């Protein structure tokens, strides 16, 4: 039928394949199965059973055993160990002692403590869950509005995906064949900008509605000796950040080796804290689970991408997009809007892996920078973690605090959502914030 | 998360009980590979920067061992329901419709993993017969390639159990669920995250 409409045979097969993939994913077939099955069927149709089965049998091992991917299990392991070793409460304690004097000081402390924890973790929801337990009681005790308290915790969790080490940025780098190191560096400043915009929103909120965030009384503020004493427990986290950024920037170790060093440090902290064997084996089992999930997605989607390559669909899509008579930025906004909608229904990693093989070549053909686009897309996917209908971070906060309703959390988050939109606009207007640090590396 | 109670009878529950420890063990082996990757990474940095004698064949060793991390835990992850899928439509289904969708999902999985098990085994066999080695340190490649069909076979058995479990419930949705992953909505997932956090801090 599609051929009747004037499509070439491979292109028609490609379109049918994409359609079938959408149907299978929508029916709830696991993404790895849907992508690999459609990829195999399409290859069989285009090049025959023998060559197709040959390709499909080679892809999983060939794709999974590339050195660049070995950084993923390391970063994932760092996050789980840091989480199980309970490093979060110390971060919040230190941040509170340093920032407690500011308007909305406790909420400010929360934002920067999360930014710090993000440096050892790439997991947004876990970060929200921990801080909901650590920071919300403290804020409520000081008379903070519960919507503000819940909103800052749910929103802060999203910082984890931009600030290195971020697993999702590594995955983006692998799919589009960019340098992993450059993407990790690129996430640093936008992550910091996001944190600063959150902080600015809190200050404005606290100044406009002082009764939502009462100032900490002078006698309760931390003294300088107290502030200094709060710092040593943070040294391991600072060391991890320093090692990863300096190794990538100065090139004295590969991202995998830097990740291994970081994991070793956090692992030693967990051991010295006498955390016991259970949190460590648990971290390892969860790391293995998440690793296999991500690797499966990668080879599954690679099989699909092999098929797309034979169909010529990505090229056709690129031609179509480039041919649109509109400024590239307008097209970019449409693409981002599409991601925002998609992200409400799908996990960020799955969404990126499935769409990038087709969308990415078009974005590059429009003249956008590949690293810049990676950061923007990941930030978009993160916003979806705090917006209805899924907004998993908000569910997490509401689940930890039965006294705060889900609608309170969503209301609390609305200002931080505005903050995120501002951040995206800033990044669109000043792409230098993204590209400056990685460009220094060249 | 799975309802199959320890004393549940029937072939599906029995198969589930037999396979689970095997999956736990393979995932633990995968986890140990991750731990080893950390150790060898640290060793490599120390040897290179402090003693100026990098480990020979480090990259080869890492690449070969990645098969252990990437595949061994596949069945365990399947049992835990952690392979990504979109639950938007599934979440609204109940009873027979839900189990029909679950059966379809498991069937598609069985088909593709079945093909992959066969052809990845062929890929391994070719490499074994030719005596393939890595470029740099000339380690044999076949043990790494063997991991793929082995892990996929276990995954295939797990999918077969889930398929049987879904068909069993498709016949009679009132039965006690066995050998299937029960779906969690966002609120439930959130509660589990929250519980995990309260255990550890």
């Amino acid at each position: 039928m599609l051929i009747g409409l004037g499509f070439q045979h491979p292109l028609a097969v490609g379109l049918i394949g994409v359609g079938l993939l959408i149907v299978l994913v929508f029916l709830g077939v696991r993404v790895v199965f849907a992508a690999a099955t459609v990829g195999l069927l399409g290859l069989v149709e285009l090049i025959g059973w023998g060559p197709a089965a040959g390709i499909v049998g080679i892809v999983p091992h060939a794709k999974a055993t590339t050195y660049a991917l070995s950084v993923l299990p390391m970063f994932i392991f760092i996050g789980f160990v840091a989480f199980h070793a309970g490093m979060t409460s110390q971060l919040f304690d230190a941040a509170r002692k340093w920032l407690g004097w500011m308007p909305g000081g406790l909420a400010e402390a929360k934002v920067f403590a999360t930014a710090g924890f993000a440096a050892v973790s790439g997991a947004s929801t876990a970060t929200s869950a921990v801080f909901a337990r650590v920071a919300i009681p403290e804020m409520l005790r000081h008379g903070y509005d519960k919507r503000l308290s819940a909103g800052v915790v749910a929103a802060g969790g999203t910082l984890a995906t931009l600030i290195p080490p971020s697993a999702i940025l590594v995955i983006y780098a692998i799919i589009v064949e960019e340098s992993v190191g450059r993407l990790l560096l690129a996430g640093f400043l936008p992550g910091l900008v996001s944190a600063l915009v959150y902080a600015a929103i809190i200050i404005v909120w606290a100044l406009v509605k002082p009764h939502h965030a009462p100032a900490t009384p002078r006698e309760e503020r931390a003294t300088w000796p107290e502030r200094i004493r709060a710092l040593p427990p943070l040294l391991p986290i600072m060391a991890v950040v320093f090692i990863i950024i300096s190794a990538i920037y100065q090139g004295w170790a590969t991202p995998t080796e830097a990740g291994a060093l970081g994991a070793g440090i956090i692992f030693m902290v967990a051991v010295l804290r006498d955390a016991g064997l259970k949190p460590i084996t648990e971290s390892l089992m969860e790391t293995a689970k998440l690793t296999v999930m991500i690797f499966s997605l990668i080879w599954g989607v690679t099989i699909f991408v092999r098929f797309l390559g034979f169909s010529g669909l990505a090229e056709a899509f690129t031609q179509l997009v480039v041919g649109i008579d509109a400024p590239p930025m307008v097209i970019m906004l449409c693409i981002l809007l599409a991601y925002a909608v998609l992200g409400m229904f799908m996990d960020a990693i799955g969404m990126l892996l499935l769409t990038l093989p087709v969308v990415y070549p078009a974005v590059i053909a429009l003249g956008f920078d590949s690293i810049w686009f990676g950061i923007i897309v990941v930030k978009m996917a993160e916003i979806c973690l705090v917006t209805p209908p899924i907004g998993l971070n908000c569910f997490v906060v509401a689940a930890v605090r039965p006294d705060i309703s889900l609608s309170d959390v969503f209301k609390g988050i609305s200002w931080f959502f505005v903050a995120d939109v501002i951040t995206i606009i800033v990044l669109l207007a000043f792409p230098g914030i993204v590209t400056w640090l990685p460009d220094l590396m060249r | 998360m799975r309802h199959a109670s320890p004393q549940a009878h029937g072939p599906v529950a029995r198969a589930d009980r037999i396979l689970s420890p095997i999956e736990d063990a393979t995932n633990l082996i995968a986890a140990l590979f991750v731990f080893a990757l950390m150790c060898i990474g640290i060793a490599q940095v120390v040897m290179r920067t402090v003693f100026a004698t990098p480990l020979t064949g480090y990259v080869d060793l890492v690449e070969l061992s990645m098969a252990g991390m990437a595949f061994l835990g596949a069945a365990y992850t399947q049992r835990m329901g952690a392979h990504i899928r979109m639950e938007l439509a599934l979440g609204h289904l109940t009873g027979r419709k839900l189990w029909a969708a679950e059966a379809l999902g498991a069937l598609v999985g069985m088909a593709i993993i079945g093909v992959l098990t066969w052809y990845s085994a062929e890929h391994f066999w070719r490499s074994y017969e030719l005596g393939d080695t890595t470029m740099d340190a000339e380690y044999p490649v076949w043990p790494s390639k063997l991991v793929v069909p082995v892990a996929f076979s276990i995954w295939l058995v797990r999918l077969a159990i889930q398929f049987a479990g879904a068909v069993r419930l498709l016949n009679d949705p009132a039965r006690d669920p066995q050998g299937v992953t029960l779906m969690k909505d966002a609120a439930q997932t959130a509660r589990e995250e929250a519980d995990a956090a309260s255990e550890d801090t």
Side-chain angles (χ1 to χ4, degrees):
Chain A
M1 184 189 77
L2 287 164
I3 298 171
L5 290 172
F7 284 99
Q8 303 267 310
H9 176 65
L11 202 55
V13 176
L15 282 173
I16 294 171
V18 170
L20 185 60
L21 180 64
I22 293 171
V23 170
L24 285 179
V25 168
F26 191 77
L27 282 175
V29 175
R30 303 205 180 263
V31 173
V32 46
F33 300 148
T37 305
V38 173
L40 173 66
L41 292 177
L43 282 169
V44 169
E45 171 65 21
L46 292 179
I47 59 175
W49 175 262
I55 291 179
V56 167
I58 291 171
V59 164
H61 185 268
K63 196 69 192 175
T65 56
T66 35
Y67 183 74
L69 281 173
S70 61
V71 67
L72 284 171
M74 288 299 93
F75 282 5
I76 295 168
F77 186 50
I78 293 178
F80 278 122
V81 183
F83 174 66
H84 284 289
M87 298 177 97
T88 32
S89 41
Q90 289 170 329
L91 264 170
F92 180 63
D93 185 53
R96 192 186 53 177
K97 285 183 173 136
W98 283 82
L99 302 171
W101 55 274
M102 292 172 77
L106 284 176
E108 301 283 347
K110 158 68 192 50
V111 167
F112 287 98
T114 331
F117 188 67
V120 287
S121 165
S124 202
T125 46
T127 310
S128 299
V130 177
F131 278 96
R133 288 195 70 258
V134 176
I136 292 184
E138 193 75 0
M139 285 192 267
L140 293 183
R141 198 166 61 79
H142 284 84
Y144 275 53
D145 179 61
K146 62 181 177 182
R147 288 180 190 167
L148 170 62
S149 313
V152 73
V153 169
T158 64
L159 291 173
T161 43
L162 284 180
I163 296 178
S166 156
I168 192 161
L169 285 176
V170 174
I171 293 168
Y172 175 88
I174 306 269
I175 314 175
V176 307
E177 296 177 339
E178 255 294 347
S179 141
V180 171
R182 277 166 53 82
L183 261 149
L184 287 174
L185 282 184
F188 186 69
L189 279 182
L192 213 57
V193 169
S194 299
L196 290 174
V197 176
Y198 285 163
I201 293 270
I202 294 168
I203 291 179
V204 172
W205 192 330
L207 291 177
V208 174
K209 293 185 175 167
H211 57 285
H212 276 189
T216 312
R218 203 160 272 283
E219 62 277 8
E220 272 189 43
R221 289 179 195 171
T223 60
W224 278 102
E226 278 174 353
R227 287 180 188 175
I228 305 290
R229 270 200 302 276
L231 289 183
L234 306 188
L235 284 177
I237 292 177
M238 292 181 200
V240 171
V241 181
F242 176 78
I243 285 173
I244 290 177
I245 293 192
S246 117
I248 294 168
Y249 187 67
Q250 291 169 321
W252 55 267
T254 63
T256 307
E257 290 159 7
L261 279 181
I265 290 171
I266 302 291
F267 176 74
M268 283 312 291
V269 172
V271 171
L272 292 177
R273 277 229 184 111
D274 227 5
L277 199 61
K278 190 169 163 270
I280 290 167
T281 46
E282 229 164 74
S283 314
L284 275 170
M285 289 294 270
E286 290 196 49
T287 304
K289 189 176 83 178
L290 196 54
T291 304
V292 83
M293 183 276 270
I294 293 174
F295 276 71
S296 305
L297 269 180
I298 290 174
W299 62 250
V301 170
T302 305
I303 292 177
F304 180 71
V305 169
R306 292 277 184 282
F307 155 57
L308 274 189
F310 280 102
S311 76
L313 190 68
E315 290 85 348
F317 180 74
T318 303
Q319 276 174 7
L320 181 78
V321 169
V322 173
I324 296 174
D325 189 22
M329 198 45 111
V330 174
I331 301 175
M332 173 56 74
L333 287 177
C334 294
I335 293 174
L336 291 181
L337 224 54
Y339 271 115
V341 174
L342 203 57
M344 289 176 189
F345 304 107
M346 211 172 164
D347 176 275
I349 295 175
M351 173 176 98
L352 287 187
L353 276 162
L354 278 179
T355 55
L356 283 176
V358 176
V359 173
Y360 177 78
V363 168
I364 297 310
L366 285 172
F368 291 102
D369 182 84
S370 67
I371 293 201
W372 174 84
F373 181 64
I375 301 294
I376 298 272
V377 157
V378 168
K379 179 79 192 163
M380 283 308 287
E382 275 311 295
I383 292 182
C384 299
L385 271 176
V386 295
T387 46
I390 309 271
L392 199 55
N393 277 8
C394 299
F395 278 97
V396 168
V397 172
V400 178
R401 304 288 311 184
D403 53 324
I404 302 177
S405 73
L406 189 60
S407 71
D408 275 338
V409 185
F410 277 126
K411 277 175 195 150
I413 203 107
S414 51
W415 283 105
F416 295 97
F417 176 74
V418 173
D420 277 334
V421 174
I422 294 175
T423 308
I424 294 261
I425 293 171
V426 168
L427 296 180
L428 285 172
F430 305 101
I433 297 172
V434 178
T435 51
W436 178 70
L437 206 53
D439 280 347
L440 280 184
M441 207 174 91
R442 276 185 179 160
Chain B
M1 63 189 299
R2 286 161 320 118
H3 265 207
S5 46
Q7 68 279 16
H9 295 292
V12 176
R14 205 169 326 124
D16 184 34
R17 271 200 304 275
I18 296 172
L19 192 64
S20 294
I22 300 173
E23 289 166 335
D24 292 350
T26 46
N27 196 60
L28 186 64
I29 296 172
L32 293 177
F33 268 108
V34 174
F35 195 76
L37 177 68
M38 178 186 93
C39 297
I40 192 179
I42 297 172
Q44 167 72 344
V45 176
V46 172
M47 291 304 284
R48 193 180 52 218
T49 50
V50 182
F51 302 104
T53 46
L55 309 169
T56 44
Y58 162 77
V59 172
D60 285 355
L61 203 59
V62 168
E63 292 197 335
L64 290 180
S65 67
M66 281 172 71
M69 300 164 225
F71 300 108
L72 280 178
Y76 175 87
T77 307
Q78 180 73 33
R79 190 179 92 213
M80 294 295 176
H83 285 290
I84 290 183
R85 64 173 170 181
M86 189 161 149
E87 296 187 337
L88 180 67
L90 275 185
H92 293 288
L93 300 180
T94 49
R96 283 219 161 84
K97 282 181 195 147
L98 172 66
W99 299 119
E102 289 281 8
L104 171 76
L107 197 62
V108 174
M110 282 168 73
I112 187 68
I113 297 303
V115 172
L116 283 170
T117 308
W118 183 263
Y119 284 93
S120 63
E122 249 185 19
H123 188 46
F124 146 73
W125 187 246
R126 266 197 306 274
S127 159
Y128 179 74
E129 286 209 309
L130 292 171
D132 261 1
T133 60
T134 56
M135 303 282 269
D136 186 21
E138 304 203 331
Y139 296 123
V141 175
W142 65 265
S144 172
K145 288 188 174 164
L146 178 59
V147 171
V148 184
V150 169
F152 281 4
S153 315
I154 306 173
W155 198 0
L156 190 60
V157 177
R158 167 54 59 193
L159 285 164
I161 293 174
Q162 292 192 340
F163 178 68
V167 169
R168 185 176 156 272
L169 291 163
L170 185 62
N171 279 331
D172 179 8
R175 284 179 181 164
D176 183 32
Q178 291 176 2
V180 289
T181 308
L182 296 175
M183 225 187 325
K184 297 172 288 182
D185 59 11
Q188 248 172 306
T189 315
R191 217 165 297 123
E192 277 173 22
E193 288 265 2
D195 290 344
S198 58
E199 249 172 56
D200 297 306
T201 46

